[in-house]
């Protein structure tokens, strides 16, 4: 402990006597890693590694609409159509159809503009929501007027933490809340839905359309190629039964592919990579230039250390350690501010809509922080502090003691 104290005492001394430099490093790093952390977390959501798609390459998506080879819509899939398709598909675990209806929900005596998703019991097996209260309804309970809401809906419209058994009304039917699921990001599949109801009560008001979207879950040992081939086989049989000869070849997608395409496709991921590079390179260059100026001021001190017996590596590590401390302080501050910044962005732009309550990031994935953000900050420190430190310590002792400006 004593050796560490001796080692870090001059580092702390330099930080306290160069407050402007230290403040710039910490604040610049804080801003950089706030947005880098958000960017990496959102990217992780888009590629489908967070609820409700923990295993997005096991689930295939069936779009509602059917198109001809000229790109014109010639029909849509209803629940009975999906049942016909799936009767000719082999090797899947289960599937679930969903249908969204807009409307007003009566909750705690007030009407709110908030649509609801009508789903089947298997929906909760195909999509892996995390329940924070209660549970989903079972097959034998699918004719009971139960509702499931997300956490932000429950917190906003009910004054108590325990909302199980509370009632909401939608389209003149009263439902009891059976479960509460954790919020998910607006960038994820089903990320904008906040109320789910049993399909049995769907009267297809106000859309008037009976089309559904469908998710098909396959076993873990089935390859994506076989999944798509099996589903296409069932779909082709169904289209022939409809006497549709001009149907465009259907290419089914995994939820990972759907999520990426829904948020902008590969072009978006390339754009996110470009933004990440810009977020790193601009503050990196600024800190390198500032570190070079700061090290020039400390040249005499470093020269004195060298004259008293410190080798170049020891002097290099002393300079680098100071930079590493500042960068890590800024990085940790940035990570702490991620959630408040996201909540501010939510409230400013995204929180309320006719679909439901949306948010950028409901929570931080700490594995991303530990495995990517922190190592990235260390690399950031090694580059921003290592280059100026190397240019400084390679100079001769005499030059440093003179306080010359040459590097």
């Amino acid at each position: 402990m004593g050796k560490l104290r001796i080692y870090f005492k001059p580092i702390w001394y330099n930080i306290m006597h160069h407050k402007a430099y230290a403040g710039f490093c910490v604040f610049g790093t804080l801003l950089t890693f706030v947005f880098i952390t958000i960017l990496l977390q959102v990217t992780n959501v888009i590629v489908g590694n967070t609820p409700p798609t923990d295993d997005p390459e096991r689930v295939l998506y069936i779009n509602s609409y059917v198109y001809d080879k000229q790109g014109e819509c010639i029909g849509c899939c209803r629940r009975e159509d999906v049942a016909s398709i799936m009767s000719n598909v082999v090797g899947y675990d289960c599937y679930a159809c969903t249908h969204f209806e807009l409307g007003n929900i009566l909750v705690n005596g007030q009407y709110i503009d908030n649509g609801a998703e009508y789903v089947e019991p298997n929906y909760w097996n195909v999509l892996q929501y995390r329940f924070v209260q209660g549970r989903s309804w079972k097959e034998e309970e699918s004719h009971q007027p139960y509702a499931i809401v997300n956490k932000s809906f429950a917190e906003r419209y009910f004054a108590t933490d325990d909302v199980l058994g509370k009632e909401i009304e939608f389209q003149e039917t009263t439902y009891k809340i059976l479960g509460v699921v954790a919020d998910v990001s607006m960038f994820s599949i089903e990320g904008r839905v906040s109320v789910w109801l049993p399909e049995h009560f769907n009267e297809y008001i106000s859309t008037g359309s009976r089309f559904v979207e469908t998710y098909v879950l396959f076993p873990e040992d089935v390859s994506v190629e076989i999944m798509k081939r099996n589903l296409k086989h069932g779909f082709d049989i169904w289209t022939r039964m409809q006497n549709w000869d001009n149907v465009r070849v259907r290419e089914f997608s995994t939820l990972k592919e759907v999520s990426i395409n829904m948020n902008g496709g590969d072009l978006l991921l390339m754009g996110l990579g470009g933004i990440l590079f810009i977020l790193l390179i601009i503050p990196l260059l600024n800190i390198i230039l500032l570190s070079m100026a700061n090290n020039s001021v400390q040249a005499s001190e470093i020269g004195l250390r060298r004259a008293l017996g410190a080798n170049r590596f020891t002097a290099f590590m002393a300079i680098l350690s100071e930079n590493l401390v500042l960068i890590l302080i800024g990085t940790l501050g940035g990570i702490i501010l991620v959630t408040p910044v996201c909540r501010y962005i939510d409230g400013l732009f995204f929180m309320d809509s006719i679909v439901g309550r949306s948010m950028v990031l409901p929570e931080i994935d700490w594995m991303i922080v530990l495995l990517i953000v922190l190592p990235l900050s260390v690399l950031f420190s090694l580059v921003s502090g290592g280059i100026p430190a190397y240019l400084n310590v390679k100079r001769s002792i005499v030059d440093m003691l003179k306080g010359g400006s040459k590097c």
Side-chain angles (χ1 to χ4, degrees):
M1 184 63 69
K3 290 183 179 180
L4 287 176
R5 183 174 175 274
I6 293 172
Y7 184 78
F8 281 103
K9 187 174 181 180
I11 293 175
W12 180 251
Y13 174 85
N14 284 329
I15 291 174
M16 297 307 297
H17 284 76
H18 300 90
K19 293 184 178 66
Y21 164 73
F24 181 88
C25 284
V26 170
F27 185 70
T29 305
L30 183 148
L31 287 180
T32 297
F33 280 91
V34 162
F35 293 104
I36 284 178
T37 303
I38 293 175
L39 189 67
L40 291 173
Q41 299 278 340
V42 168
T43 302
N44 190 50
V45 171
I46 290 174
V47 298
N49 292 331
T50 60
T53 56
D54 288 343
D55 199 351
E57 295 195 311
R58 285 184 59 200
V59 182
L60 290 185
Y61 170 73
I62 303 178
N63 190 291
S64 307
Y65 300 101
V66 182
Y67 297 93
D68 63 19
K69 294 177 181 178
Q70 287 72 43
E72 297 292 330
C73 179
I74 58 176
C76 62
C77 294
R78 300 161 299 176
R79 290 180 185 272
E80 51 268 33
D81 297 322
V82 174
S84 178
I85 293 171
M86 298 310 299
S87 66
N88 293 293
V89 177
V90 297
Y92 69 93
D93 280 343
C94 60
Y95 71 90
C97 299
T98 71
H99 179 88
F100 188 82
E101 287 289 346
L102 298 174
N104 295 321
I105 294 180
L106 177 62
V107 51
N108 266 347
Q110 62 174 320
Y111 280 99
I112 60 170
D113 293 329
N114 199 118
E117 186 96 274
Y118 287 98
V119 301
E120 300 169 342
N122 275 332
Y123 177 87
W124 307 105
N125 297 322
V126 176
L127 296 181
Q128 301 299 312
Y129 284 90
R130 181 171 62 86
F131 278 80
V132 294
Q133 289 185 48
R135 58 179 177 83
S136 61
W137 56 79
K138 301 175 182 177
E139 182 67 42
E140 58 271 20
E141 299 172 314
S142 60
H143 290 188
Q144 299 297 317
Y146 289 135
I148 290 173
V149 300
N150 66 5
K151 185 179 178 182
S152 62
F153 181 95
E155 289 177 345
R156 176 162 186 176
Y157 297 113
F158 293 95
T160 175
D161 292 334
D162 186 7
V163 301
L164 300 184
K166 302 295 182 181
E167 294 183 344
I168 62 175
E169 183 182 311
F170 186 70
Q171 296 181 353
E172 300 184 351
T173 300
T174 301
Y175 301 88
K176 286 187 177 181
I177 296 177
L178 184 64
V180 179
V181 297
D183 295 320
V184 299
S185 170
M186 60 180 292
F187 296 100
S188 65
I189 298 293
E190 303 280 277
R192 296 174 181 267
V193 182
S194 56
V195 177
W196 294 263
L197 306 173
E199 166 55 26
H200 173 74
F201 297 94
N202 191 359
E203 296 181 358
Y204 299 95
I205 302 171
S206 57
T207 64
S209 64
R210 301 180 63 86
F211 70 85
V212 295
E213 296 180 330
T214 306
Y215 303 100
V216 185
L217 177 67
F218 285 83
E220 293 182 2
D221 57 349
V222 178
S223 69
V224 172
E225 181 182 356
I226 293 176
M227 289 163 47
K228 292 182 177 182
R229 186 175 65 206
N230 290 351
L231 188 54
K232 184 177 183 303
H233 173 74
F235 181 80
D236 289 343
I237 292 176
W238 174 71
T239 56
R240 287 196 296 269
M241 292 170 57
Q242 307 302 312
N243 294 318
W244 291 337
D245 299 324
N246 195 31
V247 176
R248 186 173 66 186
V249 176
R250 174 68 70 93
E251 296 293 339
F252 295 99
S253 302
T254 64
L255 285 194
K256 181 175 183 178
E257 295 167 337
V258 171
S259 180
I260 292 174
N261 291 332
M262 179 181 70
N263 290 291
D266 293 334
L267 185 62
L268 174 71
L269 296 181
M270 292 173 60
L272 291 176
I275 295 172
L276 179 62
F277 176 78
I278 293 172
L279 285 174
L280 283 171
I281 198 67
I282 293 178
L284 187 67
L285 292 175
N286 286 333
I287 292 177
I288 286 176
L289 293 175
L290 192 63
S291 295
M292 291 175 67
N294 184 65
N295 289 344
S296 180
V297 173
Q298 294 179 307
S300 298
E301 177 191 336
I302 299 168
L304 183 59
R305 288 188 183 185
R306 292 283 311 282
L308 292 175
N311 57 32
R312 287 182 174 177
F313 179 75
T314 302
F316 174 83
M317 290 305 298
I319 300 172
L320 188 62
S321 297
E322 179 182 339
N323 181 269
L324 180 61
V325 169
L326 294 174
I327 296 299
L328 287 178
I329 291 174
T331 301
L332 293 175
I335 293 170
I336 292 171
L337 286 178
V338 165
T339 299
V341 168
C342 286
R343 294 296 81 79
Y344 177 77
I345 295 174
D346 293 337
L348 202 59
F349 298 108
F350 303 119
M351 186 61 83
D352 292 308
S353 70
I354 186 65
V355 177
R357 293 174 61 79
S358 303
M359 56 182 58
V360 175
L361 287 173
E363 59 184 15
I364 295 178
D365 186 338
W366 291 105
M367 291 302 295
I368 299 293
V369 172
L370 293 175
L371 298 180
I372 301 180
V373 176
L374 290 180
L376 196 61
S377 72
V378 173
L379 178 63
F380 185 87
S381 175
L382 292 176
V383 175
S384 64
I387 293 176
Y390 171 75
L391 293 175
N392 211 329
V393 300
K394 76 173 186 177
R395 298 159 55 188
S396 67
I397 295 176
V398 173
D399 186 37
M400 286 188 286
L401 288 174
K402 288 180 179 179
S405 59
K406 294 182 179 180
C407 291

